[in-house]
Amino acid sequence: MFQVTTLIGDAEKVEKELIKNPPPSEADIEAAKALVKEKGEAVAQLKSAKAGKAEITASVAELNKAKENLSRLEEQSKLKPGIPQKDGKIHYSQDIFARQAFLTVSGQLQVETYACAVSSVYTFGPTF
């Protein structure tokens, strides 16, 4: 039997991403949170001062950009290399089948590859 999983491919993608873009430090995340807070206070001040619509819109756009940057940093900080594990065992909930799955080497399985190339394929043997 062969184990079927998408976790290995996903783990390789995560490792490549972490090499290309290392996860942010806690200081980076805290700085981004402070920037969001600062931009939010600036928007509140402009609204309370009854500033012009253009100024408020520009300030809100800056706030949204800062929030997007913070969420991207937080998401990137959650990336962990390797196959996801829980209690020392592989955590299959993120896999395509959401549990451990296997394929058997059977006549039917082998015929599937031939069926793509040949129009008529026959198999003999017990089927389940």
Side-chain angles (χ1 to χ4, degrees), residues 28-74:
D28 293 337
I29 294 173
E30 290 303 318
K33 286 180 181 178
L35 183 63
V36 167
K37 185 177 179 181
E38 178 185 316
K39 297 291 183 183
E41 290 171 354
V43 169
Q45 286 177 354
L46 286 173
K47 286 182 178 180
S48 66
K50 307 266 191 228
K53 184 177 181 179
E55 291 178 61
I56 293 174
T57 303
S59 186
V60 167
E62 289 177 11
L63 174 62
N64 288 336
K65 192 173 182 179
K67 284 181 177 180
E68 288 172 9
N69 186 41
L70 174 61
S71 66
R72 184 181 54 80
L73 288 176
E74 287 177 336

